[in-house]
Amino acid sequence: MFEGNTTGADLKTVKLCEEMYDDSLFHNDRALKVLATKDYDSLNTEVGFTLSYMNTCNGGLSTMKPVPQVMIKKNSDISNMSSIILVILECFLRKEKIRC
């Protein structure tokens, strides 16, 4: 959506976010596989990557003019879902509760 209308630093930000989305999809696939094996430590790591990637992307997007609020909102939704997954993992799936 933004690639054809974006130049300079903003284009770099869009490209960075594109990489972050690709990496997130990779880690989401891995998260499903480790969830199936009940490897909750690895699940925590995989979901944590997605959370970090969306936060990184939003940091870059917030510097663009005009700020692409639609993308920031979608990234925030993904971050929020990742945080919910981490809470479910910590409070309901792990036998030894560390943060609940």
Side-chain angles (χ1 to χ4, degrees):
M1 179 167 95
F2 289 97
E3 282 188 35
N5 303 317
T6 311
T7 60
D10 288 350
L11 181 58
K12 287 182 182 179
T13 298
V14 170
K15 292 287 188 186
L16 173 67
C17 286
E18 185 178 339
E19 288 178 36
M20 299 282 107
Y21 294 142
D22 286 343
D23 289 345
S24 292
L25 289 173
F26 170 78
H27 287 287
N28 287 345
D29 286 343
R30 288 181 49 115
L32 290 172
K33 290 175 184 169
V34 298
L35 175 60
T37 65
K38 297 183 180 183
D39 180 355
Y40 299 135
D41 290 333
S42 294
L43 178 62
N44 187 337
T45 300
E46 299 301 334
V47 174
F49 277 120
T50 297
L51 186 61
S52 176
Y53 293 153
M54 292 302 100
N55 289 337
T56 298
C57 181
N58 272 356
L61 292 173
S62 66
T63 66
M64 291 176 67
K65 300 291 185 237
V67 175
Q69 291 296 331
V70 171
M71 286 180 68
I72 288 176
K73 171 73 170 101
K74 290 183 184 288
N75 292 345
S76 295
D77 291 345
I78 293 168
S79 293
N80 290 338
M81 286 187 284
S82 296
S83 295
I84 290 168
I85 291 168
L86 292 175
V87 168
I88 290 169
L89 167 64
E90 185 62 34
C91 297
F92 299 102
L93 296 177
R94 287 185 191 233
K95 289 181 182 166
E96 186 176 323
K97 314 290 188 240
I98 299 169
R99 293 180 187 88
C100 266

